[in-house]
Amino acid sequence: MITLSKKLKQPSGGKKEADTEPKRISIRDKLLIKEVQEMEENMPRTCRVQFDDPSVLHHFFLYITPDEGYWLGGRFKFEIEVPDDYNIVPPKAVCLTKIWHPNITENGEICLSLLRQNSYDGLGWAPTRKLKDVLWGLNSLFSDLLNFDDPLNESFKAKVKDYIQAHAKR
C-alpha cells in the first residue's frame, strides 16, 4: 500500500508505479470494440463508415447515399463522436453536408429521438441502444422518420413560406 509519506519520500526524478503500468482501456472503448464490429456487420446498404484512425473508434464519419425518396442521388456526410460516458450518454452526430431536411437544421443539428438523452416521446437514448441503432436511425431520416411537428422545424416551415413567396406565389 502506498501512503502519502512514502509518496513524499519518493525521488522526483524516479519512475513512479503508474508510469510502468499499461494504460487502462475505458469502458467506452471496450464497448466500442464489440459495437463497431456489430455495426459494420449490420449496416444498411445505403451507409458507409470511415475511421480516420482505425485505433480511434470513438470518432468516425458516416456517409449515407439514399436509394429512394427526396434525397435520391445525394451523398450526405455525418460526423459521429462517442463521448467518454457512453453508453449512459448518447453519441453526438452532426450532418456536415448542407441539406434541406425537416429534421436537420442548417447548422447540421439533428432531430432524432435516439440521439437525445431525454426525449419527449419516450424513445430517447437508453444504455441498451448501440451504435448500429444510431446508423439505422440516421439512415431512416431519409426514408421514414420525417417529423414535421418537432420544434427544430419552425425555421424549416418559415423557410418553406419564404420560398413559396419568392418562387411559387400564384
Side-chain angles (χ1 to χ4, degrees):
M1 184 166 87
I2 296 177
T3 61
L4 181 58
S5 61
K6 285 182 183 178
K7 217 170 171 81
L8 291 173
K9 290 179 186 177
Q10 203 175 38
S12 60
K15 282 197 169 195
K16 297 177 184 137
E17 286 181 36
D19 293 342
T20 59
E21 291 180 19
K23 185 178 176 186
R24 290 187 179 198
I25 298 175
S26 70
I27 292 171
R28 172 197 67 186
D29 292 341
K30 286 180 182 177
L31 287 170
L32 290 179
I33 291 168
K34 285 182 177 180
E35 285 193 31
V36 166
Q37 181 179 354
E38 183 181 357
M39 173 184 73
E40 289 178 335
E41 291 170 356
N42 296 292
M43 196 175 314
R45 68 180 181 277
T46 55
C47 293
R48 186 177 63 82
V49 172
Q50 176 191 345
F51 291 88
D52 283 343
D53 181 348
S55 65
V56 178
L57 299 179
H58 62 273
H59 182 259
F60 60 93
F61 298 97
L62 169 66
Y63 295 89
I64 300 177
T65 309
D67 58 2
E68 63 182 356
Y70 297 130
W71 297 276
L72 177 67
R75 181 173 170 229
F76 305 94
K77 182 178 183 179
F78 294 82
E79 182 176 21
I80 313 289
E81 182 72 36
V82 182
D84 290 334
D85 42 0
Y86 178 79
N87 67 347
I88 301 301
V89 174
K92 293 177 176 66
V94 175
C95 183
L96 301 177
T97 306
K98 192 163 180 76
I99 184 174
W100 191 257
H101 192 287
N103 294 82
I104 301 173
T105 69
E106 291 181 22
N107 299 328
E109 297 167 320
I110 301 163
C111 174
L112 186 62
S113 293
L114 71 90
L115 293 176
R116 295 182 182 159
Q117 192 156 6
N118 300 311
S119 176
Y120 68 90
D121 62 4
L123 300 173
W125 184 258
T128 54
R129 296 198 185 268
K130 297 182 178 187
L131 281 180
K132 69 176 181 171
D133 300 322
V134 173
L135 262 63
W136 280 93
L138 290 170
N139 188 64
S140 67
L141 285 175
F142 295 96
S143 57
D144 59 1
L145 282 184
L146 301 179
N147 179 2
F148 288 97
D149 295 327
D150 194 276
L152 277 178
N153 296 325
E154 291 307 313
S155 65
F156 180 84
K157 290 176 187 175
K159 200 151 195 169
V160 168
K161 286 180 182 179
D162 290 345
Y163 270 71
I164 291 170
Q165 190 69 15
H167 306 290
K169 190 174 180 183
R170 292 184 193 187

